[in-house]
Amino acid sequence: MKSLVDAIRRTETVARVGRVVSVRGATIEAAGPAARVGEVCSIEMAGAEMPAFAEVVGFGDGRSVLMPYGDAGGIAVGSRIVAMGSTGEVPVGPGLLGRVVDAFARPVDDRGPIVSTARRPLKPAPVGALQRARVEAPMATGVKAIDSLLSLAKGQRIGLFAGSGVGKSSLLGMLARGAFAPVNVIALIGERSREVREFIEDQLGPEGLKRSVVVVATSAESAIVRLRAAYTATAIAEHFRDQGQDVLLTMDSLTRFAMARREVGLAAGEPPTARGYTPSVFSEIPQLCERCGPAAASGSITAIYTVLVEGDDLNEPVSDTVRGTLDGHIVLSRDLAHAGHYPAIDVLKSISRLHGAISDPAHLAAARSFGAALSLYERNRQLVEIGAYRPGANPALDRVVDAMPRIEAFLTQRLAERVERPAAIEQLRQLVATLEVPHGH
């Protein structure tokens, strides 16, 4: 009876109605309805069987500003707008596994309807800082360079910084297939339509798809739909986490999420700031990312967000915000990619802030010695490559130069190869034993 009473209380008995006043570009201005920011509204269109749907994104001069989820064609001045009373929910349940869905969790893979068992709000109240469990257990990824030198923890959030064409999608596919997580939730935000199918079939593959939910919003869809897709993927990941599962959430890309948020903010009248990004971009990125992490009891969301580095500039505004928000970053190098070094991880520019918390002392010592050896080589790389370095001048450098083929072999990995975390750490220890480079050399 209580659930019935609650449902009656939530039901609106008076329709909140407005009218379209103008349509400007991707925005609709309306007189009314009395709706909240983020509330979904239906817009009746003459001659159409189904209404269009739009979301309230702001207010100005006594009018509501809405952005439609689809094409605004058919919407006219005077079209009736009805507030629906919801700020958005997403259907969730085990039926999502193995499926490809859109920003509304509707199937787009031509495999029939999805049976959902519950619904979750897109933007729930944030979890208190002291209501979460500590991040303590390692998350094995199957990628040697990450598991041995940049160890991730269950519940960690990390950024994958990469320019175009340096193997970002390939590495994401390796992580989705090789990570030791029962559930993958993959959000493809603002991708080209061609790349979506290629990623699912070539990088993820049938085995990876079986335990994955892929949420897609292509670059052809409106900014408000691309924003919603990011929240839909996060809500789905939260559902599985609350069921006690360890979830790997990968979002490609957080930069396109920021671009969509900028587009919505500008349409709502926000002033542009750094590189045209609106203030809401820099407040909404932490709000989205903070939803990931461990649950209070069991279950966790380990999140990997890709950041598109424009012109390989690691100091542009979105990159700066993400670095300050997440628990570390992995940088992909264009020079390594051009040299055929895959995955093209620049381990000296990358960091996992939880590596020390989940690694034993012997592992940490090996990782530091490896970093010292690689740093020593990088400082003298030019001298070695042009033949100006004389062997014997620095015995530590001599050992590193001799070991470089083995170092390269350790840091590279075939796309289909999956290495157990203990095996990766043991390979690191054996390699470091031949280098004997002091940490502070």
Side-chain angles (χ1 to χ4, degrees):
M1 181 64 71
K2 183 179 183 300
S3 61
L4 180 59
V5 172
D6 290 341
I8 293 172
R9 286 173 176 169
R10 290 196 302 268
T11 302
E12 296 193 15
T13 56
V14 178
R16 291 174 290 137
V17 179
R19 297 284 176 179
V20 172
V21 174
S22 67
V23 178
R24 297 181 181 179
T27 61
I28 299 168
E29 290 189 0
R36 298 162 290 168
V37 171
E39 189 167 348
V40 180
C41 300
S42 64
I43 305 176
E44 297 177 359
M45 297 187 295
E49 294 183 4
M50 295 293 294
F53 294 95
E55 185 174 312
V56 179
V57 297
F59 307 98
D61 298 327
R63 295 178 179 176
S64 302
V65 181
L66 301 91
M67 292 193 76
Y69 289 131
D71 186 6
I75 298 175
V77 171
S79 293
R80 188 169 182 262
I81 302 175
V82 179
M84 301 183 69
S86 170
T87 54
E89 292 182 326
V90 57
V92 293
L96 287 167
L97 288 173
R99 303 302 300 270
V100 183
V101 301
D102 65 8
F104 302 87
R106 300 175 301 201
V108 294
D109 53 8
D110 298 324
R111 291 175 50 199
I114 296 173
V115 178
S116 60
T117 57
R119 298 185 72 86
R120 290 186 68 97
L122 278 178
K123 299 179 181 180
V127 179
L130 298 181
Q131 308 306 313
R132 297 178 183 267
R134 287 176 62 98
V135 176
E136 296 176 322
M139 163 67 80
T141 67
V143 179
K144 286 187 295 182
I146 295 177
D147 287 341
S148 60
L149 301 168
L150 304 165
S151 299
L152 303 187
K154 292 179 181 178
Q156 184 171 353
R157 303 153 309 151
I158 198 160
L160 181 60
F161 290 69
S164 58
V166 296
K168 169 177 56 65
S169 295
S170 298
L171 179 55
L172 287 180
M174 291 177 69
L175 293 169
R177 292 190 308 272
F180 292 78
V183 177
N184 291 324
V185 179
I186 302 168
L188 302 178
I189 311 298
E191 289 281 358
R192 291 181 283 269
S193 300
R194 171 185 60 81
E195 293 177 334
V196 170
R197 184 164 187 172
E198 289 177 356
F199 176 83
I200 293 170
E201 294 181 356
D202 299 341
Q203 307 298 339
L204 188 57
E207 290 302 313
L209 183 59
K210 283 181 183 178
R211 56 191 176 96
S212 301
V213 183
V214 183
V215 182
V216 176
T218 66
S219 57
E221 297 183 78
S222 69
I224 201 73
V225 171
R226 281 176 268 145
L227 281 181
R228 186 186 177 100
Y231 285 106
T232 294
T234 304
I236 292 171
E238 287 173 327
H239 166 76
F240 286 108
R241 178 194 62 189
D242 293 347
Q243 301 300 309
Q245 303 271 28
D246 290 318
V247 182
L248 177 64
L249 169 66
T250 56
M251 189 172 293
D252 185 16
S253 70
L254 197 56
T255 302
R256 294 196 179 107
F257 170 85
M259 290 176 174
R261 179 65 257 183
R262 174 177 62 185
E263 190 175 332
V264 172
L266 291 173
E270 281 190 78
T273 54
R275 294 203 184 180
Y277 287 103
T278 56
S280 60
V281 172
F282 305 109
S283 63
E284 197 154 339
I285 286 176
Q287 290 173 16
L288 177 70
C289 298
E290 279 293 324
R291 289 172 57 181
C292 298
S298 61
S300 64
I301 302 175
T302 306
I304 300 175
Y305 298 99
T306 68
V307 179
L308 299 175
V309 183
E310 300 177 8
D312 295 341
D313 178 12
L314 293 173
N315 296 314
E316 54 93 25
V318 172
S319 298
D320 271 347
T321 301
V322 173
R323 273 202 306 271
T325 301
L326 302 182
D327 307 313
H329 51 271
I330 297 172
V331 177
L332 299 189
S333 163
R334 187 173 301 278
D335 290 339
L336 290 175
H338 287 169
H341 178 121
Y342 288 102
I345 299 173
D346 189 330
V347 296
L348 294 180
K349 291 182 179 179
S350 305
I351 186 172
S352 169
R353 295 194 177 108
L354 295 176
H355 176 64
I358 58 173
S359 304
D360 60 61
H363 179 191
L364 282 176
R368 288 170 183 151
S369 293
F370 182 91
L374 196 58
S375 178
L376 176 62
Y377 179 80
E378 288 298 326
R379 292 197 302 271
N380 294 276
R381 175 189 287 272
Q382 285 188 326
L383 294 176
V384 174
E385 290 181 345
I386 66 175
Y389 172 73
R390 292 182 302 163
N394 185 333
L397 180 57
D398 290 342
R399 286 191 292 271
V400 175
V401 171
D402 291 340
M404 278 311 294
R406 299 195 302 278
I407 291 174
E408 290 281 346
F410 173 73
L411 292 176
T412 55
Q413 188 171 332
R414 298 188 306 275
L415 289 178
E417 185 181 3
R418 179 183 184 182
V419 180
E420 301 279 342
R421 186 170 185 269
I425 295 172
E426 182 57 31
Q427 289 182 37
L428 173 67
R429 288 173 177 165
Q430 292 177 4
L431 178 59
V432 166
T434 67
L435 300 177
E436 298 178 1
V437 177
H439 300 339
H441 193 89

